[in-house]
Amino acid sequence: MENKRKVTKPEGKLAVLVPGLGAVSTTLMAGVELARQGKGLPIGSLTQMGTARLGKRTDGRTVKLNELVPLAELNDVAFGAWDIISEDAYQVAMRSGVLNDKHLEQVKPFLQSIKPKKGVHDAEFVRRIEANHTKSTKTHRESIEALRQDIRDFKKELNAKRAVMVVCSSVETFRPLPEAFKTLAAFEKALDENSPDINPTALYTYAALKEGVPFANATPNASVDTPALQELAKQEGIPVAGRDLKSGQTMMKTVIAPALKARMLGLDGWFSTNILGNRDGEVLDDPAAFKAKEVTKSSVLDTILQPEVYPDLYKKYSHKVSIHYYPPRGDAKEGWDNIDIVGWLGYPMQIKVNFLCRDSILAAPLVLDIALFLDLAKRLEWRGIQEWMSFYFKSPMAQPGLPVEHDLFIQLTKLKNTLRVVAGEEPITHLGLDYYGDDLPLSK
């Protein structure tokens, strides 16, 4: 395949700008610095550890993803952040309790150097945090201009030639899609009118897109998944991705559910609950904030199982999702799943999953990959929805009218095939009939 895509080389520093200096973002920052020092492995990151096979199985060609396509190197990554709490990254990391003292001491000066700029805050959207570091802007337009200036300042301060933004802030309260988000014209009008329907995350999104900065939403908050901001992304020629990181329990659903469908096993019910004690858990203790998370966590099963196609297997299953704030657990989230499945002749069986995971340890490498892939997309001059990055999200986006793909393995195949095509290599279909010649003739 000779039509290799033209892509600008990743020269100079890349500023990874993060609204929300919390457990996930500080774990990411510390991990990148430890990897740069040779004191830790970036486990969980496709961009750093993933590979892709090229050509036939018999060719023996396997390369690392960061050799297949030109990605920014870790040494060229710099971080900037906003937050509504004034703590620097080291203080946040200490309070979050994700990393041990040894790791934190090795990166203490680096983390202390990352001080957040004041964040945009609306107490109606984030109710459980006492903010002490917020912008004094009075209108949406003023907030946007302040954020745009921050982006320009970050690039200067970090000596960065390029920037991407990945939102890792607290979950905002859920609201059905307001009219203001249905078209860009309506959104612009709502900005002018200082509408209470517009959430802080949407203001960061608008500011990033207007500054030409690729944007991803790692939270359930309303953002680039809305028609108005997707329209703006295409208008400005900016790649976007989201929403809500697929890190723990939902990742397991996108592994197990495809297996059930592949084997044509039925489903009677899927009960999921979580206990979590970090700031995310505290915010999600607000029912209105949990509703936003529930929407993204609950959406995957129907799209994978296709009850409209397989009504005998999946038409009437029960699906329950809950999250409980339990402070002693900290960042060590525990997810319990009880899955009631149905086999031959309708006989019942069960699957039990007890996932004792670390929320930020799972999420940090995803944010790194998203940032580096978004930067690649911008250098390819791609714009709008980057569906090939669906692998990373609970509620990924697709063009209007296209069914969303949630199967983790299909998503991974799509991601790697996209990178193969960018590199001028053939996509891999795993058909393999040509290995068997006349034993499996395709034509006579």
Side-chain angles (χ1 to χ4, degrees):
M1 191 172 185
E2 296 298 328
N3 59 336
K4 184 175 181 178
R5 271 45 177 186
K6 292 182 179 179
V7 54
T8 305
K9 292 182 179 180
E11 296 176 347
K13 294 284 186 183
L14 171 66
V16 177
L17 306 181
V18 186
L21 189 62
V24 171
S25 50
T26 55
T27 302
L28 163 69
M29 295 165 184
V32 167
E33 181 63 11
L34 286 163
R36 290 193 286 222
Q37 294 179 15
K39 297 175 180 176
L41 286 174
I43 295 171
S45 167
L46 280 180
T47 61
Q48 305 308 303
M49 304 195 77
T51 64
R53 192 192 92 205
L54 305 180
K56 295 179 177 293
R57 278 180 277 168
T58 51
D59 292 345
R61 298 171 62 211
T62 297
V63 299
K64 293 189 68 174
L65 296 185
N66 55 16
E67 296 170 352
L68 181 62
V69 293
L71 299 177
E73 296 183 1
L74 290 190
N75 285 334
D76 290 328
V77 171
F79 294 103
W82 293 265
D83 204 87
I84 59 175
I85 303 294
S86 59
E87 298 167 320
D88 64 38
Y90 178 73
Q91 291 172 304
V92 175
M94 285 287 291
R95 173 176 52 76
S96 299
V98 179
L99 302 177
N100 61 38
D101 291 343
K102 176 184 175 182
H103 278 145
L104 286 177
E105 286 306 305
Q106 289 172 329
V107 294
K108 181 176 180 179
F110 170 73
L111 291 178
Q112 287 177 324
S113 72
I114 301 173
K115 303 180 189 300
K117 295 187 185 297
K118 291 182 177 180
V120 174
H121 180 55
D122 183 338
E124 287 301 310
F125 283 96
V126 178
R127 301 171 180 171
R128 297 295 175 99
I129 296 178
E130 292 294 329
N132 64 9
H133 192 63
T134 62
K135 293 193 182 301
S136 58
T137 50
K138 302 298 183 185
T139 68
H140 291 329
R141 290 289 186 186
E142 288 179 7
S143 295
I144 288 167
E145 288 308 309
L147 291 173
R148 293 184 67 176
Q149 185 59 53
D150 286 346
I151 293 170
R152 294 190 286 267
D153 291 343
F154 271 131
K155 290 176 74 174
K156 289 179 182 176
E157 294 160 9
L158 299 172
N159 192 28
K161 291 189 175 183
R162 308 178 316 286
V164 297
M165 186 184 293
V166 184
V167 172
C168 296
S169 56
S170 296
V171 178
E172 297 168 346
T173 54
F174 176 78
R175 300 183 184 189
L177 184 68
E179 289 296 321
F181 283 86
K182 294 184 178 178
T183 67
L184 182 55
F187 190 82
E188 298 278 7
K189 183 173 183 290
L191 289 177
D192 292 335
E193 295 173 351
N194 210 36
S195 168
D197 288 333
I198 295 182
N199 55 313
T201 300
L203 298 178
Y204 283 99
T205 312
Y206 188 96
L209 297 178
K210 282 293 187 179
E211 284 298 309
V213 172
F215 180 93
N217 180 17
T219 75
N221 305 338
S223 178
V224 289
D225 58 303
T226 61
L229 291 168
Q230 288 176 6
E231 186 181 345
L232 180 62
K234 292 187 73 171
Q235 177 181 292
E236 298 292 329
I238 307 300
V240 294
R243 69 179 174 164
D244 202 5
L245 294 180
K246 181 163 60 180
S247 56
Q249 189 174 63
T250 307
M251 177 190 71
M252 297 305 297
K253 285 185 177 177
T254 62
V255 171
I256 296 171
L260 298 179
K261 189 172 80 169
R263 287 291 308 273
M264 289 289 103
L265 294 170
L267 180 67
D268 262 353
W270 197 312
F271 180 87
S272 300
T273 192
N274 301 263
I275 54 175
L276 178 62
N278 62 13
R279 186 189 288 181
D280 194 26
E282 182 179 6
V283 171
L284 288 169
D285 207 33
D286 178 352
F290 169 69
K291 180 64 177 177
K293 177 70 76 170
E294 183 182 32
V295 167
T296 60
K297 287 178 74 71
S298 301
S299 63
V300 302
L301 288 184
D302 269 2
T303 51
I304 291 174
L305 296 175
Q306 298 177 286
E308 71 284 359
V309 178
Y310 304 103
D312 292 336
L313 299 176
Y314 308 121
K315 192 66 175 178
K316 297 180 180 180
Y317 69 85
S318 175
H319 188 200
K320 173 68 175 176
V321 178
S322 63
I323 297 176
H324 302 280
Y325 178 49
Y326 182 56
R329 190 52 61 94
D331 200 69
K333 181 168 69 174
E334 184 166 357
W336 299 319
D337 286 87
N338 176 82
I339 310 162
D340 289 289
I341 66 174
V342 180
W344 185 251
L345 302 179
Y347 281 85
M349 297 175 282
Q350 289 187 338
I351 300 172
K352 308 281 191 183
V353 179
N354 186 197
F355 192 5
L356 288 83
C357 60
R358 294 180 178 271
D359 203 39
S360 300
I361 294 296
L362 290 171
L366 306 188
V367 178
L368 174 62
D369 285 356
I370 289 164
L372 298 187
F373 281 142
L374 274 181
D375 178 54
L376 173 67
K378 177 68 183 300
R379 288 181 283 111
L380 283 163
E381 298 183 354
W382 291 355
R383 64 176 186 167
I385 296 168
Q386 305 298 299
E387 190 187 355
W388 62 281
M389 293 174 61
S390 296
F391 177 80
Y392 294 103
F393 300 102
K394 285 187 181 74
S395 185
M397 299 182 294
Q399 290 285 9
L402 281 180
V404 175
E405 182 56 69
H406 281 284
D407 183 317
L408 187 75
F409 303 105
I410 294 175
Q411 291 174 333
L412 181 60
T413 298
K414 184 179 182 71
L415 187 154
K416 289 189 177 183
N417 274 339
T418 301
L419 299 181
R420 289 182 181 106
V421 171
V422 168
E425 298 284 344
E426 291 287 345
I428 289 179
T429 65
H430 303 285
L431 183 62
L433 292 182
D434 53 338
Y435 295 124
Y436 295 91
D438 292 338
D439 291 343
L440 302 173
L442 287 174
S443 61
K444 293 183 179 179

